[in-house]
């Protein structure tokens, strides 16, 4: 863990710009040339000046040059990009880019793919693609002409469709076929004369909220059809039609060749700049294969080794109480058939970051950190479960977090901005899950007989910014079993039967949560 961390630090201070060739990337918005932004190539990836590009796209930008970070905001979304990482935070979630963000001087460059992320396209309600070295922003169309193919016995027209558009088609008279696409957005009107004996001409026109396809058939067009094939719409007319391409033999996405010759558009298009159609960016998701494996739970006995945690004369130290109860919890969950891992099973020091890293490497489905509380106020007592949030529920919760985070002082690692960033990637997506988990644990510790520590229904669940919970890619909670500073709690915390009950209570809460969420039967 440390080595990787220092590698990151080293990378941070290296001049990152040396290996990159400087260049320019043109930007086209709705067919208009909007000038260029500076760009560079790195390992086959084009990186563009984030600030300049975002501004051209109408975004707002906050640049923190010293921190090598930039925040980009578009309507309804924000993104934080940081050199030298490929992970971008978008609306509190992490998204990986194909290459690292690079900082040079006062500029921050990101792979051009950042601007093509579905989140950005959705925020701008535009289709954004990178075509022939230019960033192309277009109307969020759902239908576009792709190309025509004139064969011996038929003519074929290919149309791009986003999703499966519905349509109706009919033969209006001997020579005219019309199809209507309700709700479709046409990339641009097209009118083409083929002047052969199968298709004389055809047009695609946006009419309000519908798109109309009109085909004038030639004298040898005995038959025609309009069908969805290989994810495209295909119109064929001729003397002998080819067999439709079955959807089962669907071609891989890269074979959906949307490259078209600009001359195809020339007839009815007066915009000076011709650009090829973008790739269909919103592809249907690949089937999700659910891996059948046991639920993995990581139990984290707080503190350890040189870090004793909360102490009180004449009592066990926090690190020892945490380990004892964690082992009871471990045994309980093992008996239930789960895969369980302890972040430490003896009196050793483990860094806070190392604990969450361990959980992620183990691919934990759930993380529970076990602690014992302490307060200056002797009357403070009771059991509490915390989940992580940037905002503490109250001043006391913040103080508990501050105390537990003190373990940082024992760590030699120097916490720089890179580390801060890794923390800020904390998965807020798990906040909701974590709060539910906290609820189940609270209820079952409350129900478990023989513990003898107060579980208050109104404030036993609290949120605060615990370092150890940050960055865990799973629902994660921190349990404070009781107050070592309270004579009453302290007696129970040191009681062997109560310790086992505490482990069982937490374990039952975990099982109840997993059942309630449908993760186990
Ligand atoms: Zn602690």
């Amino acid at each position: 863990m440390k080595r990787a961390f220092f590698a990151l630090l080293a990378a941070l201070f290296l001049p990152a710009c040396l290996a990159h060739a400087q260049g320019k990337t043109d930007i086209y918005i709705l067919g208009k040339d909007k000038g260029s932004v500076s760009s560079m190539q790195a390992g086959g990836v084009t990186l563009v000046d984030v600030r300049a590009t975002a501004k051209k796209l109408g975004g707002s930008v906050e640049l923190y040059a010293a921190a090598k970070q930039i925040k980009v905001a578009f309507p309804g979304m924000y993104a934080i990009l940081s050199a030298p990482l490929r992970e971008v935070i978008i609306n509190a979630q992490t998204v990986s880019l194909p290459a690292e963000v690079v900082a040079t001087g006062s500029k921050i460059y990101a792979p051009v793919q950042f601007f093509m992320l579905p989140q950005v396209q959705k925020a701008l309600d535009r289709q954004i693609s990178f075509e022939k070295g230019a960033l192309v922003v277009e109307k969020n169309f759902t239908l576009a002409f792709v190309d025509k193919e004139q064969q011996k016995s038929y003519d074929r027209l290919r149309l791009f469709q986003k999703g499966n558009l519905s349509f109706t088609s009919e033969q209006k008279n001997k020579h005219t076929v019309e199809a209507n696409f309700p709700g479709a957005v046409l990339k641009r009107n097209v009118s083409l004369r083929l002047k052969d004996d199968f298709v004389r001409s055809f047009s695609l026109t946006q009419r309000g909220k519908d798109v109309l396809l009109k085909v004038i058939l030639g004298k040898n067009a005995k038959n025609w059809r309009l069908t969805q094939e290989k994810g495209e719409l295909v119109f064929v007319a001729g003397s002998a039609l080819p067999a439709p391409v079955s959807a089962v033999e669907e071609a891989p996405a890269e074979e959906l060749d949307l490259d078209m010759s600009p001359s195809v558009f020339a007839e009815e298009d007066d915009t000076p700049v011709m650009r090829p159609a973008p790739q269909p960016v919103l592809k249907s998701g690949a089937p999700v294969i659910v891996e059948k494996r046991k639920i993995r739970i990581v139990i984290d006995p707080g503190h350890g080794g040189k870090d004793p945690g909360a102490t009180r004369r004449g009592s066990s130290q926090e690190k020892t109480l945490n380990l004892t109860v964690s082992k009871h919890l471990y045994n309980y969950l093992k008996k239930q058939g789960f895969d369980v891992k302890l972040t430490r099973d003896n009196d050793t020091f483990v860094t806070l970051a190392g604990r969450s890293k361990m959980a992620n490497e183990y691919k934990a489905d759930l993380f529970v950190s076990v602690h014992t509380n302490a307060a200056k106020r002797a009357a403070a007592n009771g059991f509490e479960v915390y989940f992580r949030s940037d905002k503490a529920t109250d001043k006391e919760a913040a103080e508990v977090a501050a105390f537990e985070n003190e373990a940082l002082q024992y760590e030699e690692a120097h916490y720089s901005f890179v580390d801060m960033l890794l923390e800020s990637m904390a998965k807020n997506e798990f906040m909701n899950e974590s709060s539910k988990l906290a609820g189940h644990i609270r209820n079952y510790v409350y129900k478990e007989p023989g513990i003898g520590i107060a579980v208050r229904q109104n404030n036993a669940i609290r949120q605060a910014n615990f370092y150890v919970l940050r960055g865990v890619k799973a629902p994660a909670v921190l349990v404070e079993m009781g107050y070592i500073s309270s004579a009453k709690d302290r007696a129970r915390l040191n009681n062997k039967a109560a310790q086992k009950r505490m482990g069982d209570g937490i374990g039952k809460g975990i099982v109840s949560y997993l059942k309630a969420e449908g993760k186990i039967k």
Side-chain angles (χ1 to χ4, degrees):
M1 154 63 205
K2 283 265 174 61
R3 187 165 302 166
F5 179 67
F6 283 119
L8 260 178
L9 270 186
L12 179 64
F13 293 113
L14 283 175
C17 51
L18 298 176
H20 305 292
Q22 293 285 333
K24 292 270 177 205
T25 290
D26 292 329
I27 296 184
Y28 295 90
I29 299 178
L30 302 180
K32 296 210 164 61
D33 186 347
K34 293 288 181 181
S36 61
V37 295
S38 68
S39 61
M40 59 173 72
Q41 301 296 322
V45 176
T46 299
L47 295 99
V48 294
D49 178 347
V50 176
R51 185 169 190 264
T53 308
K55 288 205 154 182
K56 281 192 191 289
L57 298 186
S60 67
V61 176
E62 292 168 45
L63 175 68
Y64 308 98
K68 301 177 198 294
Q69 269 190 313
I70 190 162
K71 183 176 173 183
V72 175
F74 293 117
M77 73 154 279
Y78 71 89
I80 298 168
L81 300 99
S82 317
L85 299 177
R86 51 171 78 196
E87 285 76 26
V88 178
I89 300 165
I90 296 183
N91 296 347
Q93 299 215 1
T94 310
V95 174
S96 252
L97 296 175
E100 285 176 356
V101 172
V102 170
T104 71
S106 62
K107 279 184 183 154
I108 290 184
Y109 291 84
V112 69
Q113 285 81 358
F114 165 71
F115 291 99
M116 291 146 66
L117 288 172
Q119 294 93 330
V120 175
Q121 304 202 41
K122 189 165 173 262
L124 294 170
D125 191 26
R126 291 280 184 257
Q127 290 208 171
I128 305 174
S129 55
F130 189 60
E131 297 289 326
K132 301 190 171 142
L135 193 65
V136 182
V137 180
E138 289 170 293
K139 196 157 69 174
N140 209 357
F141 58 84
T142 55
L143 189 63
F145 175 65
V146 178
D147 69 4
K148 64 176 165 60
E149 186 190 335
Q150 288 168 283
Q151 297 285 357
K152 267 195 188 129
S153 65
Y154 61 89
D155 288 339
R156 172 154 50 196
L157 309 173
R158 291 167 61 213
L159 308 178
F160 162 80
Q161 61 164 357
K162 184 148 78 179
N164 269 339
L165 293 179
S166 65
F167 62 88
T168 54
S169 58
E170 64 172 317
Q171 185 145 4
K172 288 285 200 189
N173 55 48
K174 198 175 174 215
H175 294 294
T176 312
V177 171
E178 282 186 6
N180 191 55
F181 298 83
V185 179
L186 186 63
K187 180 183 160 114
R188 58 171 69 103
N189 290 350
V190 178
S191 173
L192 265 189
R193 278 176 291 280
L194 275 68
K195 293 175 187 163
D196 72 18
D197 293 340
F198 304 131
V199 173
R200 299 290 302 162
S201 69
F202 80 91
S203 64
L204 261 176
T205 319
Q206 183 84 49
R207 289 216 177 139
K209 290 190 171 170
D210 293 4
V211 172
L212 183 72
L213 169 70
K214 192 172 175 179
V215 182
I216 306 297
L217 300 171
K219 62 176 193 280
N220 291 338
K222 293 200 177 78
N223 218 337
W224 64 269
R225 70 161 186 267
L226 176 62
T227 46
Q228 280 162 331
E229 295 178 26
K230 286 171 73 182
E232 290 180 327
L233 278 159
V234 177
F235 179 88
V236 202
S239 54
L241 304 191
V245 183
S246 126
V248 182
E249 310 164 44
E250 198 162 308
E254 53 269 25
E255 282 182 30
L256 289 177
D257 183 9
L258 293 177
D259 206 12
M260 52 188 104
S261 70
S263 63
V264 171
F265 289 133
E267 291 192 32
E268 210 183 78
D269 202 310
D270 54 0
T271 46
V273 179
M274 295 301 168
R275 284 285 149 190
Q279 297 294 327
V281 264
L282 298 174
K283 292 182 190 110
S284 59
V288 179
I289 296 155
V290 180
E291 199 185 330
K292 278 183 190 159
R293 62 161 172 81
K294 279 199 267 183
I295 298 278
R296 295 182 187 181
I297 300 169
V298 168
I299 304 167
D300 173 45
H303 313 277
K306 62 190 171 185
D307 171 16
T311 55
R312 186 80 180 192
R313 239 179 335 144
S315 167
S316 305
Q317 295 181 313
E318 182 193 347
K319 62 178 183 179
T320 314
L321 298 174
N322 298 345
L323 183 59
T324 305
V325 173
S326 292
K327 283 180 174 170
H328 286 305
L329 174 57
Y330 177 93
N331 290 335
Y332 179 87
L333 293 172
K334 268 283 184 192
K335 269 187 217 149
Q336 301 289 319
F338 296 106
D339 280 343
V340 196
K341 187 183 174 75
L342 287 160
T343 55
R344 66 179 178 94
D345 61 3
N346 55 33
D347 186 19
T348 48
F349 179 77
V350 184
T351 65
L352 292 180
R355 294 167 195 257
S356 53
K357 190 166 183 255
M358 222 182 275
N360 292 338
E361 283 174 356
Y362 186 63
K363 300 205 186 318
D365 298 295
L366 205 147
F367 179 87
V368 183
S369 193
V370 177
H371 287 255
T372 310
N373 219 335
K376 288 199 191 86
R377 204 160 53 86
N381 71 86
F383 171 93
E384 289 157 4
V385 196
Y386 289 81
F387 63 96
R388 197 205 73 86
S389 141
D390 287 332
K391 254 195 182 148
T393 32
D394 51 69
K395 188 163 159 276
E396 255 179 38
E399 280 169 5
V400 174
F403 173 78
E404 299 297 4
N405 292 346
E406 264 175 31
L408 290 174
Q409 80 188 16
Y410 296 98
E411 301 177 16
E412 293 94 3
H414 175 71
Y415 286 86
S416 71
F417 115 86
V418 170
D419 192 56
M420 295 291 289
L421 180 84
L422 293 174
E423 294 169 16
S424 73
M425 287 179 178
K427 296 274 178 172
N428 279 348
E429 65 188 277
F430 295 113
M431 230 173 84
N432 211 6
E433 290 296 301
S434 302
S435 74
K436 285 184 201 164
L437 172 60
H440 285 271
I441 291 176
R442 187 261 323 264
N443 292 345
Y444 278 82
V445 170
Y446 176 75
K447 280 187 208 167
E448 187 70 18
I451 293 179
I453 295 173
V455 180
R456 295 184 183 86
Q457 291 294 311
N458 57 347
N459 72 345
I461 297 175
R462 311 171 88 177
Q463 38 187 305
N465 198 358
F466 288 93
Y467 187 94
V468 75
L469 301 183
R470 295 179 207 173
V472 176
K473 293 172 186 157
V477 296
L478 184 143
V479 170
E480 296 280 4
M481 301 183 287
Y483 283 75
I484 207 168
S485 48
S486 146
K488 183 173 159 286
D489 281 6
R490 192 165 63 241
R492 301 308 301 163
L493 289 165
N494 283 286
N495 179 291
K496 286 202 160 56
Q499 288 170 341
K500 181 172 182 302
R501 291 294 197 170
M502 178 64 81
D504 290 356
I506 297 169
K508 287 175 188 173
I510 289 171
V511 172
S512 164
Y513 160 80
L514 291 169
K515 278 185 184 162
E517 294 302 304
K519 293 176 184 179
I520 56 168
K521 280 192 180 160

